[in-house]
């Protein structure tokens, strides 16, 4: 349970590989998540980063927040670029020209992962490249105007799925990217959230040691797009886990582990009422979402209990 605590005093490196001074919004959960990820990754990495919030806020010429080798890629080819780097390193090692134990990491938002970059990601997982793919999921295309993505949850109001008299907002369920990654039969899949920092860093550290592709899906609270006060970022992340909307779990070689289980989940209203994007929802729609969350959580819990999936 210590790994799931926030206030447990632990020794974490003071070295920052994602330096302060970037231009992220106040209370940006994604910037916090990237900082924690980089602390866990360490110095000996190469990052391929898709177009998105973190690329925009971290690399305005002539400055950069990245203190590790980093390359900006397009929305659609982050996984492809990362796999090319990994393959290149492999060739150099075979020729005896490269001896470092460098890990290649691909980073993208939910749009660059679940939508535009989906094909390249699937190819990387299928081919079995030795790299880590991290999706920072703030549940919309936030940096270009809060447009819906296929990772936007049902009922959320965005600029391209606005709630009103004839619409509830987003009309489809959130795409389950971790389940899709699991379906590729890769060695390691995990979910994480910046509101549980040690759990997040432990999963990154575990992924570094994995031979082959790892996929880590990190819920990144966005105060701007979610319409909540910037000081509630951590609370909103914890409520996402406590309500079962975003469970923390790992899948290692088809074995499920539910990292934080609750005898009884909190009602999703506790999570929704903090956020302006859900304030229009009727009790009927809220009840439908509650039923779906409970059913999905029960399925996940069954897999973790039986470990026979």
């Amino acid at each position: 349970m210590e790994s799931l605590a926030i206030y447990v005093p632990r020794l974490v490196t003071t070295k920052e590989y994602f330096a302060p001074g970037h231009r992220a919004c106040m209370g940006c959960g994604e910037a916090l998540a990237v900082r924690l990820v980089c602390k866990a990754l360490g110095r000996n990495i190469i990052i391929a980063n898709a177009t998105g919030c973190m690329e925009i806020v971290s690399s305005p010429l002539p400055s950069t927040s990245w203190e590790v080798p980093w390359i900006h890629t397009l929305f659609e080819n982050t996984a492809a670029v990362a796999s090319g780097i990994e393959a290149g390193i492999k060739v150099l090692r075979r020729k005896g020209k490269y001896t470092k134990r460098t890990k290649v990491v691909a980073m993208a938002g939910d749009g660059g992962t679940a939508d535009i970059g989906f094909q390249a990601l699937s190819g990387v997982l299928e081919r079995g490249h030795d790299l880590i793919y991290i999706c920072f999921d703030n549940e919309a295309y936030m940096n270009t105007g809060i447009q819906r993505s296929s990772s936007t949850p049902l009922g959320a109001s965005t600029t391209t799925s606005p709630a009103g008299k004839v619409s509830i907002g987003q009309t489809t369920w959130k795409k389950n990217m971790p389940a899709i990654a699991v379906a590729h039969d890769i060695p390691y899949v995990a979910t994480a959230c910046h509101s549980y920092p040690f759990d997040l860093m432990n999963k990154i550290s575990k992924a570094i040691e994995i031979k082959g592709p790892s996929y880590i899906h990190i819920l990144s609270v966005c105060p701007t797009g979610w319409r909540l006060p910037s000081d509630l970022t951590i609370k909103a992340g914890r409520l996402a886990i406590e309500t079962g909307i975003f469970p923390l779990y790992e899948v290692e070689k088809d074995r499920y582990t539910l990292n934080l289980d609750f005898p009884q989940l909190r009602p999703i209203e506790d999570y929704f009422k903090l956020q302006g994007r859900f304030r229009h929802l009727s009790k009927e729609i809220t009840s439908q979402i509650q039923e779906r969350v409970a059913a999905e959580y029960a399925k996940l819990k069954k897999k973790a209990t039986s470990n026979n999936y």
Side-chain angles (χ1 to χ4, degrees), residues 231-251:
D231 61 339
L232 295 183
T233 296
I234 301 301
K235 183 176 182 179
R238 292 181 75 83
L239 282 172
I241 283 78
E242 292 170 7
T243 56
I245 284 180
F246 190 87
L248 295 180
Y249 66 96
E250 298 170 278
V251 187

Side-chain angles (χ1 to χ4, degrees), residues 46-62:
I46 298 174
I47 295 176
N49 187 190
T51 295
C53 288
M54 283 306 103
E55 172 266 325
I56 294 292
V57 305
S58 67
S59 60
L61 283 173

Side-chain angles (χ1 to χ4, degrees), residues 66-83:
W66 300 95
E67 298 199 359
V68 292
W70 176 89
I71 182 171
H72 168 219
T73 67
L74 303 178
F75 263 123
E76 67 271 24
N77 65 352
T78 310
V81 170
S83 68

Side-chain angles (χ1 to χ4, degrees), residues 263-296:
Q264 186 171 4
L265 297 174
R266 293 181 66 156
I268 59 172
E269 285 88 347
D270 291 354
Y271 176 65
F272 283 177
K273 68 184 179 184
L274 297 182
Q275 307 173 49
R277 61 177 180 159
F278 292 119
R279 283 184 188 146
H280 59 280
L281 291 182
S282 64
K283 287 187 177 180
E284 181 184 1
I285 298 296
T286 302
S287 296
Q288 289 179 21
I289 298 173
Q290 181 70 77
E291 288 177 13
R292 169 88 172 205
V293 168
E296 292 296 316

